[in-house]
Amino acid sequence: MSEAVHDAVKIGIVSISDRASTGVYEDKGLPALQDWLTRALHNPITFEPRLIPDEQSGISATLIELVDAGCSLVLTTGGTGPALRDVTPEATLAVAHKEMPGFGEQMRQISLKFVPTAILSRQVAVIRGNSLIINLPGQPKAIAETLEGLKDADGKQIVPGIFAAVPYCVDLIGGPYLETRDEVCKGFRPKSAVRPPRETP
């Protein structure tokens, strides 16, 4: 019986926290990102995990390293609030070739459904070369909400998550063809960009 063939993808996941990176408490960001992406994508994924402190130059260097290593997608968690040590957006913008403001706008819209302090979050998304870099919130629950959006009790989508737009964005910048599991997060592409399923002979 033939099986569907999916492009392999390399994804960088970066948790940014002074305390977790020094072992003061257990990091929950990397496991949350890896779990969600594994559930959301059909593609075979190679993860490049990094746990680093809130240092702007170090964050920028890590993002460049992951892009240079061939990561088509880099997701960060942590360091996006207004506190003095929160410098993830600045570090991300510093390595950008293009800014993608729609991602941050949509993340704040989703989070505002839960807390009024969502307007304090400063997540950004950028393109560097053939890679899409997105800053996500710090809490595992908020990570999942912003990626997959909000659904009603029957599972019907109320607010689209940001990941619905990620596969087509990665197409447009020359990355692999990402295929989502609809029950987690249905990716959207214009009809002209949908590729017919490939199967093993």
Side-chain angles (χ1 to χ4, degrees), residues 106 109-114 141-142 144-153 155-162 184:
Q106 184 66 2
Q109 283 302 311
I110 292 167
S111 298
L112 275 168
K113 304 279 185 195
F114 299 97
K141 180 174 178 285
E145 285 163 358
T146 52
L147 286 170
E148 65 190 73
L150 308 179
K151 296 171 181 162
D152 64 17
K156 186 169 180 291
Q157 194 93 46
I158 308 168
V159 183
I162 62 160
V184 179

Side-chain angles (χ1 to χ4, degrees), residues 37-73:
L37 288 160
T38 303
R39 286 190 296 112
L41 288 171
H42 287 289
N43 304 69
I45 306 169
T46 301
F47 287 104
E48 288 283 346
R50 301 287 187 275
L51 176 57
I52 58 175
D54 291 280
E55 297 288 351
Q56 186 171 334
S57 59
I59 299 167
S60 290
T62 298
L63 296 177
I64 292 170
E65 175 204 334
L66 290 170
V67 169
D68 289 350
C71 293
S72 305
L73 179 64

Side-chain angles (χ1 to χ4, degrees), residues 1-9 42-44 175-179 194-201:
M1 187 174 152
S2 62
E3 289 184 17
V5 178
H6 306 286
D7 288 0
V9 60
H42 287 289
N43 304 69
Y177 191 84
L178 300 181
E179 298 179 79
V194 175
R195 191 170 81 183
R198 291 183 301 159
E199 296 191 344
T200 53

